[in-house]
Amino acid sequence: MNKFIAIVGSNSKKSTNREFLQYMQSHFQNQAEIELVEIKDLPLYKKSADKYVPELALDIAKRIEAADGVIIATPEYDHSIPAALSSALAWLSYGIHPFVDKPVMITGASYGSLGSSRAQAQLRQILDSPEIKARIMPSSEFLLGHSLQAFDENGDLKDKQLITQLDGLFKDFLQFVNISKQLNNANVVNKQKAAEFSWDKD
Amino acid sequence: MKLVGIAGSIADQSYNRTLLKFIAKHSQGIADIEVLDINAVPMFSQDDDQTNSEVIQNLSKKISDADGVIIATPEHNHTVPAALKNVIEWLSYEIHPFDGKPVMIVGASYHTQGSSRAQLHLRQILEAPGVNAIVLPGNEFLLGDVKTAFDENGDLKDKRTVNFLQTTLQKFIKFAKVINMIDKTSDYEDEDLSASNKTDTTVEGVDMNDENWLDKAAKKVNAVEGDTYVKLDSGLLTVNQINYLLKTTPIELTYVDENNQFIYYNRFLPTDKMLAKRTPAQVGDSLEAVHPGKERVIKHVKQVLNTLRNGETDLVSMPVPGNDADHHVMHYYKAMHDEEGNYKGVNEWAIDLKPIVNEYLKATGQKLVPDPDNKIDATSGASKKPTEAVETKPEVDATSGASEH
Ligand SMILES: Cc1cc2nc3c(=O)[nH]c(=O)nc-3n(C[C@H](O)[C@H](O)[C@@H](O)COP(=O)(O)O)c2cc1C
Ligand SMILES: Cc1cc2nc3c(=O)[nH]c(=O)nc-3n(C[C@H](O)[C@H](O)[C@H](O)COP(=O)(O)O)c2cc1C
């Protein structure tokens, strides 16, 4: 069974994105093992001369390395991803490269009706930057709008149509992960390229 | 023009900060730019609202008070640095200092095309409803190859880059003026007659309404007097000479500053002989103190001040109450501006036009006859035209009104 890391893109104690990932975790328990990862205890990203990376980020990186794929659920703050998530991604690409060639499924929940669509579009560009270079599942987008009202008392999604869409997307993601495993001939080189890539070089 | 600059980096060494400092240094004379520090801003979290912390309140106040903001953004992983986004989140959650604020985006990066994606994201972020800044369209300023761009004094080496930056900045200053003007087409209700929004010339630490405000405030700022020379834009006079000049100018002049504080009148007549009565004890008063009570008067004063402040008109004129065949006393309210066009208050003058008309008639051997086409209400005399814009009632005198009664 595939093992996925699910990153909660919100640092709120009561997060609808966490709720959503917990729903995925139980809803898909027969198809994949999903482990939730929190970013809320990471400090704000800062460059340093010695390229220090916090222990917690190194630990998360290790778990991502070991996983078959990553699911990210992002809130939308001011039409973009929260600073907390942006900061986590900066740590996770600072001299370490756990995302290179890693299949990623982007999802997101927001209180508004557009369900973090703009944040997800930006996240796509971020994950494509040279030091992250994730393999983002193409043309997939899962938007959970009005997220405060989206779950019933058991934590299940209320909207049946949304569930059908999510089921389909997840099936696609499983296939994408499988195909991706076969496309890993260049992975060693790609990792090396990311590692050697430096913004400091001319 | 007062601007603040935010470098979107908390790194110890940042080229974007260097760029902002360069901009600040090179805009002396056209803009006064303060570079803000975002280093101590905590991580945004909905669970731990630190909106009221000193660091966030301070940033918010500086931004609110500024006429515009320049943000210099690095690019991290194709987007703005988390540290910059973090600040914007605090400033779009419980408070919204960017609302309606003109913003210019610049960015320095190690690469030729660097920071273009970050600038685009930043634009989207700033235009999100909770932020609602007004970003200067077009005019991307990308400083590539930043590591070799500055000399050892922190100055940009390339002349063309400096010129381009200057042009962009000038455009931004114009843009900010227009945006602020539109934004300020505020309600006249916002006029603060209590003069509590101090301006850069407000004398602090002296009660405005103190009868001896003049002496106390003068002492506080070490004001010059007597035979000390003052250099004016087209002349050199001593303080005494300025007084002689103003006191023989046969028009009653009043200075109300942009904070709605009454700070001067040219006292050449005793109070009871004045067309618009003023007393020495009133000098320094807020306009509210000059017009106690009188709701209708207050409303009218606010309307007049607001049209002048907004630039809807530069001059409001109106006849005062009680004009008769021998008197036609007019009040004029003229907006004053500094070299940069910032509103600096009202020059108010009162004058009786009738003696002038009489003198003219006498000198030219003419007399007045009623105009058969006249559409003006003869009892109030003067044309209503210039006052219509502010719905003035001719019998009300805007800033001296209540003190007369
Ligand atoms: C984690 C990290 C990610 C970066 N990502 C980008 C990028 O996506 N695009 C870019 O042009 N530069 C990128 N850079 C290089 C920046 O342009 C450079 O470091 C910039 O921050 C210089 O500005 P500063 O001196 O004001 O920090 C990155 C640097 C770091 C440390
Ligand atoms: C600073 C801030 C900005 C926000 N901006 C947006 C926004 O642009 N669009 C939107 O749909 N929701 C916005 N929201 C509301 C978020 O949708 C909501 O807080 C969050 O996405 C829910 O995610 P969570 O429950 O996982 O924390 C904003 C919230 C905050 C605190």
Side-chain angles (χ1 to χ4, degrees):
Chain A
M1 193 151 64
N2 277 314
K3 200 170 173 258
F4 298 141
I5 291 296
I7 299 177
V8 181
S10 168
N11 62 0
S12 303
K13 278 197 207 84
K14 214 193 139 304
S15 155
T16 53
N17 280 283
R18 187 180 300 115
E19 217 174 336
F20 172 68
L21 289 176
Q22 282 164 345
Y23 168 77
M24 282 187 78
Q25 192 177 36
S26 75
H27 185 68
F28 296 120
Q29 58 185 323
N30 298 325
Q31 298 171 56
E33 186 190 327
I34 298 176
E35 179 193 341
L36 265 59
V37 159
E38 299 288 346
I39 56 160
K40 63 176 167 31
D41 296 319
L42 285 169
L44 188 59
Y45 171 79
K46 185 177 174 180
K47 294 198 270 199
S48 58
D50 58 353
K51 281 213 156 195
Y52 164 81
V53 178
E55 217 36 64
L56 182 56
L58 294 174
D59 175 59
I60 294 173
K62 231 181 272 159
R63 289 198 268 168
I64 292 172
E65 292 271 10
D68 298 296
V70 176
I71 303 163
I72 302 178
T74 182
E76 178 166 291
Y77 287 177
D78 305 325
H79 289 181
S80 78
I81 66 169
L85 178 56
S86 172
S87 169
L89 293 171
W91 284 126
L92 292 171
S93 58
Y94 196 43
I96 50 179
H97 305 89
F99 281 106
V100 173
D101 291 340
K102 194 66 66 184
V104 175
M105 175 177 178
I106 299 175
T107 67
S110 82
Y111 297 170
S113 55
L114 292 180
S116 81
S117 63
R118 292 153 295 211
Q120 291 192 32
Q122 290 197 359
L123 181 55
R124 211 166 258 283
Q125 294 175 309
I126 294 167
L127 292 172
D128 195 37
S129 65
E131 288 180 284
I132 301 187
K133 271 285 170 244
R135 243 180 219 159
I136 312 145
M137 180 156 77
S139 58
S140 70
E141 190 179 49
F142 187 78
L143 309 172
L144 183 61
H146 303 297
S147 60
L148 281 176
Q149 291 84 37
F151 301 95
D152 66 17
E153 59 286 356
N154 303 320
D156 289 331
L157 272 182
K158 288 194 239 171
D159 186 335
K160 295 280 173 285
Q161 211 177 332
L162 264 184
I163 297 179
T164 312
Q165 191 202 349
L166 184 63
D167 287 345
L169 270 178
F170 195 71
K171 215 172 182 173
D172 283 351
F173 186 57
L174 289 174
Q175 273 185 19
F176 181 66
V177 169
N178 285 336
I179 294 169
S180 194
K181 279 180 186 158
Q182 291 156 36
L183 295 178
N184 258 3
N185 299 312
N187 180 253
V188 178
V189 180
N190 289 347
K191 271 212 177 322
Q192 183 135 17
K193 257 168 72 183
E196 280 168 4
F197 183 88
S198 168
W199 291 106
D200 290 8
K201 276 193 206 132
D202 319 290
Chain B
M1 167 139 325
K2 217 168 65 185
L3 304 176
V4 292
I6 299 173
S9 171
I10 54 171
D12 300 325
Q13 193 276 334
S14 158
Y15 285 108
N16 281 282
R17 208 175 301 131
T18 310
L19 173 62
L20 264 187
K21 291 204 168 132
F22 173 80
I23 294 175
K25 194 162 99 187
H26 282 259
S27 48
Q28 277 165 10
I30 42 172
D32 170 15
I33 305 177
E34 182 185 359
V35 180
L36 305 179
D37 189 349
I38 61 165
N39 281 318
V41 177
M43 176 82 96
F44 177 81
S45 161
Q46 283 182 292
D47 298 332
D48 182 16
D49 185 1
Q50 300 193 45
T51 303
N52 289 326
S53 67
E54 199 181 320
V55 50
I56 290 161
Q57 284 297 319
N58 187 38
L59 284 172
S60 172
K61 182 164 181 351
K62 290 264 163 78
I63 292 168
S64 296
D65 289 350
D67 299 311
V69 182
I70 301 175
I71 303 181
T73 184
E75 179 166 300
H76 282 177
N77 297 327
H78 289 181
T79 191
V80 299
L84 174 57
K85 178 68 203 304
N86 188 54
V87 172
I88 299 174
E89 287 174 6
W90 281 120
L91 300 179
S92 63
Y93 184 48
E94 293 294 341
I95 47 176
H96 307 272
F98 280 108
D99 193 2
K101 195 66 64 182
V103 176
M104 172 166 107
I105 301 174
V106 300
S109 139
Y110 299 158
H111 306 266
T112 23
Q113 271 309 302
S115 93
S116 65
R117 280 169 291 218
Q119 291 198 24
L120 230 89
H121 280 191
L122 184 54
R123 202 172 269 279
Q124 291 174 325
I125 291 165
L126 290 168
E127 284 169 358
V131 188
N132 205 25
I134 306 189
V135 187
L136 177 70
N139 289 302
E140 242 177 40
F141 182 81
L142 307 172
L143 181 64
D145 301 319
V146 72
K147 287 186 164 182
T148 53
F150 293 98
D151 66 16
E152 61 284 357
N153 301 322
D155 289 335
L156 276 176
K157 288 193 246 174
D158 182 28
K159 261 253 137 329
R160 278 170 313 170
T161 309
V162 175
N163 288 342
F164 180 66
L165 186 59
Q166 205 118 40
T167 321
T168 311
L169 192 69
Q170 268 155 3
K171 273 191 204 151
F172 178 60
I173 288 172
K174 268 195 210 145
F175 174 77
K177 259 184 208 158
V178 173
I179 297 297
N180 288 331
M181 179 90 85
I182 295 168
D183 216 43
K184 269 189 209 143
T185 316
S186 53
D187 219 357
Y188 69 87
E189 301 279 6
D190 296 340
E191 279 300 327
D192 174 23
L193 297 194
S194 70
S196 61
N197 301 312
K198 69 178 177 64
T199 158
D200 45 5
T201 48
T202 301
V203 179
E204 288 183 84
V206 182
D207 177 10
M208 288 183 180
N209 301 332
D210 189 316
E211 296 211 343
N212 296 315
W213 177 85
L214 175 56
D215 289 335
K216 291 183 182 172
K219 195 163 166 213
K220 193 105 195 167
V221 299
N222 294 319
V224 297
E225 54 185 314
D227 291 325
T228 307
Y229 287 99
V230 178
K231 184 178 178 227
L232 300 162
D233 71 347
S234 49
L236 183 68
L237 297 171
T238 66
V239 177
N240 278 337
Q241 287 173 324
I242 295 173
N243 278 324
Y244 305 151
L245 185 69
L246 288 165
K247 294 177 83 149
T248 51
T249 302
I251 301 172
E252 295 176 14
L253 296 172
T254 295
Y255 197 122
V256 173
D257 74 9
E258 68 268 41
N259 183 32
N260 296 337
Q261 185 183 10
F262 162 40
I263 52 175
Y264 173 80
Y265 75 102
N266 61 336
R267 184 158 68 97
F268 64 96
L269 286 170
T271 303
D272 61 337
K273 293 255 163 54
M274 292 181 75
L275 301 171
K277 313 266 182 281
R278 310 266 184 267
T279 70
Q282 282 177 325
V283 173
D285 281 8
S286 67
L287 287 188
E288 186 177 71
V290 182
H291 305 97
K294 297 258 171 187
E295 208 174 305
R296 198 173 48 112
V297 177
I298 296 273
K299 178 177 167 197
H300 185 208
V301 172
K302 286 184 173 182
Q303 286 172 333
V304 170
L305 289 168
N306 205 240
T307 40
L308 294 172
R309 189 186 299 276
N310 288 341
E312 276 170 54
T313 175
D314 259 358
L315 181 69
V316 175
S317 62
M318 64 191 77
V320 304
N323 281 329
D324 55 29
D326 295 325
H327 299 281
H328 191 80
V329 178
M330 292 292 294
H331 275 198
Y332 296 88
Y333 305 88
K334 173 102 178 156
M336 295 184 285
H337 297 97
D338 66 12
E339 301 71 29
E340 290 169 25
N342 298 309
Y343 176 73
K344 281 289 160 193
V346 189
N347 176 355
E348 174 188 346
W349 68 90
I351 185 168
D352 187 353
L353 296 181
K354 195 60 203 300
I356 299 173
V357 173
N358 288 345
E359 196 169 317
Y360 169 76
L361 295 174
K362 204 169 138 196
T364 57
Q366 301 183 75
K367 70 171 183 182
L368 293 172
V369 289
D371 175 2
D373 298 329
N374 151 49
K375 291 190 185 70
I376 296 166
D377 170 12
T379 56
S380 68
S383 161
K384 278 181 189 165
K385 199 110 193 111
T387 63
E388 265 169 14
V390 289
E391 305 167 26
T392 52
K393 305 229 162 42
E395 73 272 16
V396 180
D397 156 31
T399 68
S400 63
S403 58
E404 292 181 346
H405 308 292

